[in-house]
Amino acid sequence: MDFSAILTDALRSGIGPIAAVYALAAMGLNLHFGYTGLLNFGQVGFMLVGGYGLAITVSTYDGPMWLGVLGGIACAIVLALLLGLPTLRLRADYLAITTIAAGETLRLFYRSNWAEPVTGGVFGLQRFANGFYALNPIEPGTYGVWLVRFSSRDLWVMIVGWALVLVVGGLLALLIHSPWGRVIRSIREDEVAARSLGKNVYAYKMQSLVLGGVIGAVAGMLQAIQVQSVNPDNYDPGVTFFLYTLLVLGGAGRILGPVVGAVLFWFVLSFLDSALRQAIDAEYISADLISTSEVGAVRFALVGVALILLVAFRPQGILGSRKEMLLSGR
Amino acid sequence: MRYQRLLVPALALVLVTVPAISTRAQGEEVPRGPTFAARALQALIDGIQFGVIIAITSVGLSLIFGTIHLINFAHGEFVTIGASFAFFLNVSAAGPGWHLIPAALTAVVFGALLGGAVDRGIWRPLRARGTGLINMFIVTIGLSLVLRHVVLVLYGTRPASYAQYDIQSTIDLGPAGITPRDLTVTLLSVLVLLGVAALLQRTRIGTAVRAVSANRDLAEASGIDVQRVVLFVWMLGGGLAALGGVFFGLVEIVTWDMGFKLLLLMFAGVILGGLGNAYGAMVGSLVIGVVAQMSTLWFPVDLQYAWALLVLIVVLLVRPQGILGRAERVG
């Protein structure tokens, strides 16, 4: 058992580009779920249209990168409007079912043979991220302290990613403490009361859905750039469940909740992954019980257990306040 | 009128089936290659078969929602566990190697026990703690993740078929055909659905279930033991889901994520019929199954599930309470 390797793996995941992507996507979800009380279970769909919007513009149509970013954002706005129109008037759980169905429908459409000329079908798209890396000011090489090292490309994605987290976090903080944010939170607490005070609840919910969706799309673009490819099967519903787990872990309804949640979540997940693999290699855990190929499944199951325990025993997570997270629905 | 609510789905089905059957007459004179009419009839048969299986699995989902207003996201995993448990008893090297029929019956009992255990072990303590419904819903998602990946570790990723009834020759029905296995599964499914309907309409516990669905507080005040009814509903739902899983494994294949794939179709069927209404779930699922299969006549096969989910979104736009749902505000 090489503990320094386990620890460096965990640290690299916790502060690496993946954690930044998830923090960003969870910030959008935090606006939906933590502040407005919308049960959006299709956040991965917003990441998908963001990533594909960029990839299709650059890779399929040879467009410039800035147009791809705008395209991804436009797709997210359209998706939010499409989802919101039928469901925002309905009870919360209807929105949950519809959003998860929409996320899956999108994935099926994008991976179908029929859409292959544009989306690359099951193969996805590559070669669209060069414009981003061309802007990289950092000299090639590896950077870091002790054993936690990143390549210059990863470092560039990280810097941009965490900078985006900082900017979006600042924007959200200003928004939440504005009159608009107070209406949003009042909708979470008691929609009927907000309506009776003359607020157009439907419009506010829609604005929240669009804004959080756009943040999710930006996260999707960053993820696509980081792995330098988009593939429909990277966007399965499991991603949304990860986002919910880390959001509840960090504390929904707090600006820093998703950030703390993402860092901790990826730290712990990587730690477990690494430790399990090493324990199996060193035969502390017999390979008959869990083989190395099943580590991924065990990881998912543990995320599920964590989600159950968190919601049952500490629904406010690390930073949240219990009073604000007694979501009962009706 | 009580029967007015049944008219709409009946009409919808007629609209779908009549063109398919009426064009069949012309299709018989063409011996070369399947005509459109023949393919339509085949798709309809496949769709009905698919629909009744979804119906079996989704009745429990709808009843659970009706009694405790919880959307059980882990319902798909009950389907997978039923199918894979029967597989273990039937095929697996570590299992006893029973014939499929006793294996299937045991899997149904196992599913019912699992449903009961989940109610006693998770939902009842959470209800006692006063956990909110939304939080409970998120707990079902966690449960779904746990169960699905436990099945993955135990069962593995490779799709497989049961030992019996695997290779079958088709019964010719003029332009279309069906294997004896699929025909039996379809007829059995219809019988099970009729049985569930009779249970809900005629027995004491069925009446109690409907009473709790209609108005929980009033039912409790009338002396119905709501906790017992809820336990019964969980067991019924778990058993039916397991049976549906075995059926689906028979006509298609057993995989570790089959239930999760079916779950979205179940949701579509349940919402189409009206959440919380068992008969609505049956009708809605049938429509979803037919839509999924008939869509392959015009559109690529790999999009058939997507159309079913689109139907769900359209229904929510037009009639959010579903076909058989009561016209009340749902938001």
Side-chain angles (χ1 to χ4, degrees):
Chain A
M1 294 286 275
D2 179 0
F3 278 103
S4 66
I6 296 176
L7 202 61
T8 48
D9 276 349
L11 277 171
R12 283 186 42 169
S13 285
I15 59 171
I18 304 174
V21 167
Y22 274 70
L24 209 54
M27 279 176 146
L29 196 59
N30 197 19
L31 182 62
H32 294 156
F33 170 71
Y35 287 116
T36 326
L38 300 175
L39 275 179
N40 169 21
F41 273 90
Q43 187 68 350
V44 71
F46 288 107
M47 293 168 78
L48 184 148
V49 293
Y52 266 102
L54 173 67
I56 288 172
T57 311
V58 179
S59 181
T60 313
Y61 295 116
D62 290 329
M65 200 163 141
W66 58 267
L67 193 68
V69 172
L70 288 182
I73 289 174
C75 286
I77 293 172
V78 171
L79 177 64
L81 292 175
L82 280 177
L83 283 180
L85 283 172
T87 53
L88 287 180
R89 296 185 189 281
L90 303 172
R91 236 190 2 240
D93 33 29
Y94 277 85
L95 180 72
I97 292 179
T98 315
T99 44
I100 197 162
E104 268 302 86
T105 311
L106 275 172
R107 188 175 71 84
L108 292 170
F109 267 108
Y110 275 72
R111 80 186 298 262
S112 67
N113 281 332
W114 172 79
E116 192 167 332
V118 178
T119 63
V122 285
F123 308 108
L125 295 169
Q126 291 78 29
R127 293 197 313 278
F128 54 83
N130 295 341
F132 178 85
Y133 290 110
L135 298 173
N136 188 353
I138 303 162
E139 296 296 319
T142 57
Y143 298 85
V145 282
W146 183 46
L147 294 166
V148 187
R149 306 190 81 77
F150 295 95
S151 72
S152 69
R153 290 168 80 96
D154 273 352
L155 196 64
W156 175 227
V157 179
M158 268 168 70
I159 290 169
V160 173
W162 290 113
L164 276 171
V165 167
L166 208 67
V167 171
V168 169
L171 269 176
L172 280 179
L174 289 174
L175 260 179
I176 291 305
H177 295 291
S178 72
W180 184 85
R182 278 197 290 280
V183 174
I184 287 288
R185 278 178 298 163
S186 77
I187 290 172
R188 178 188 70 194
E189 298 303 328
D190 189 343
E191 197 183 309
V192 179
R195 201 179 277 128
S196 64
L197 291 171
K199 298 295 178 195
N200 184 348
V201 167
Y202 184 61
Y204 276 97
K205 278 182 175 179
M206 186 64 93
Q207 289 157 9
S208 162
L209 191 66
V210 168
L211 191 59
V214 167
I215 298 171
V218 172
M221 290 179 215
L222 194 69
Q223 186 190 27
I225 284 170
Q226 202 262 324
V227 291
Q228 297 183 50
S229 78
V230 285
N231 188 307
D233 296 333
N234 295 345
Y235 299 99
D236 68 90
V239 176
T240 311
F241 304 156
F242 275 19
L243 289 173
Y244 264 89
T245 307
L246 68 87
L247 182 58
V248 176
L249 172 70
R254 284 281 180 274
I255 293 294
L256 285 177
V259 183
V260 172
V263 171
L264 267 179
F265 178 86
W266 282 105
F267 180 87
V268 172
L269 207 59
S270 246
F271 189 93
L272 284 173
D273 208 71
S274 222
L276 272 173
R277 280 177 208 280
Q278 296 234 16
I280 293 164
D281 287 343
E283 293 181 352
Y284 292 127
I285 299 175
S286 93
D288 299 336
L289 186 69
I290 304 171
S291 66
T292 326
S293 62
E294 286 163 349
V295 166
V298 173
R299 213 169 72 157
F300 267 104
L302 287 171
V303 169
V305 171
L307 188 59
I308 294 175
L309 293 178
L310 272 172
V311 171
F313 297 105
R314 202 178 161 80
Q316 71 275 34
I318 295 171
L319 301 174
S321 88
R322 191 165 174 78
K323 282 204 307 292
E324 287 189 18
M325 275 296 130
L326 288 172
L327 293 167
S328 60
R330 269 168 303 134
Chain B
M1 273 298 288
R2 274 187 59 202
Y3 300 104
Q4 229 164 4
R5 299 220 315 267
L6 290 169
L7 262 175
V8 182
L11 270 177
L13 267 180
V14 166
L15 282 176
V16 176
T17 51
V18 164
I21 293 169
S22 65
T23 45
R24 186 184 151 182
Q26 305 141 26
E28 280 172 347
E29 285 132 34
V30 186
R32 309 169 267 100
T35 58
F36 177 80
R39 283 190 305 133
L41 185 68
Q42 186 64 54
L44 180 69
I45 290 173
D46 293 348
I48 290 172
Q49 175 200 315
F50 192 33
V52 285
I53 293 177
I54 302 173
I56 286 188
T57 55
S58 64
V59 166
L61 186 68
S62 198
L63 280 175
I64 288 163
F65 182 85
T67 45
I68 52 175
H69 296 286
L70 175 73
I71 292 181
N72 176 22
F73 216 86
H75 201 77
E77 275 57 54
F78 290 1
V79 175
T80 315
I81 286 171
S84 54
F85 190 70
F87 181 86
F88 166 76
L89 296 174
N90 177 236
V91 183
S92 178
W98 295 350
H99 188 269
L100 182 60
I101 293 171
L105 291 172
T106 316
V108 171
V109 173
F110 183 74
L113 290 177
L114 183 74
V118 164
D119 181 48
R120 281 289 159 105
I122 300 181
W123 309 124
R124 194 172 289 195
L126 282 182
R127 283 199 292 271
R129 281 178 63 92
T131 304
L133 264 177
I134 303 258
N135 285 344
M136 286 237 230
F137 172 66
I138 297 174
V139 170
T140 64
I141 288 177
L143 184 66
S144 155
L145 276 177
V146 176
L147 292 176
R148 190 159 10 122
H149 291 94
V150 166
V151 170
L152 175 58
V153 169
L154 294 176
Y155 174 83
T157 50
R158 205 171 304 146
S161 298
Y162 292 117
Q164 284 83 28
Y165 314 114
D166 192 18
I167 311 287
Q168 301 243 312
S169 56
T170 310
I171 305 172
D172 216 353
L173 302 173
I178 188 167
T179 60
R181 174 195 65 201
D182 294 3
L183 187 64
T184 314
V185 164
T186 310
L187 291 177
L188 274 178
S189 305
V190 172
L191 277 179
V192 168
L193 290 175
L194 289 174
V196 171
L199 178 102
L200 288 174
Q201 286 301 355
R202 306 214 174 270
T203 61
R204 252 183 93 78
I205 186 81
T207 315
V209 168
R210 283 186 299 127
V212 173
S213 294
N215 188 333
R216 189 188 168 134
D217 296 342
L218 193 59
E220 195 144 33
S222 321
I224 292 174
D225 183 351
V226 171
Q227 295 283 22
R228 234 189 69 215
V229 170
V230 169
L231 180 66
F232 171 79
V233 166
W234 274 100
M235 291 182 75
L236 180 70
L240 285 174
L243 180 66
V246 174
F247 282 170
F248 190 75
L250 252 180
V251 300
E252 298 273 339
I253 203 148
V254 184
T255 59
W256 67 279
D257 60 351
M258 60 196 275
F260 190 67
K261 287 199 173 114
L262 275 181
L263 181 72
L264 292 173
L265 295 180
M266 285 188 236
F267 277 150
V270 163
I271 285 189
L272 184 60
L275 255 179
N277 177 329
Y279 306 123
M282 293 178 191
V283 175
S285 302
L286 196 60
V287 173
I288 290 292
V290 171
V291 166
Q293 296 288 357
M294 297 288 273
S295 76
T296 59
L297 294 172
W298 297 277
F299 302 104
V301 175
D302 54 6
L303 285 181
Q304 63 169 349
Y305 282 20
W307 290 112
L309 299 178
L310 276 183
V311 167
L312 159 78
I313 293 171
V314 171
V315 167
L316 282 180
L317 262 175
V318 183
R319 197 179 155 82
Q321 71 274 27
I323 303 173
L324 296 184
R326 271 167 308 188
E328 59 182 39
R329 197 192 152 81
V330 280

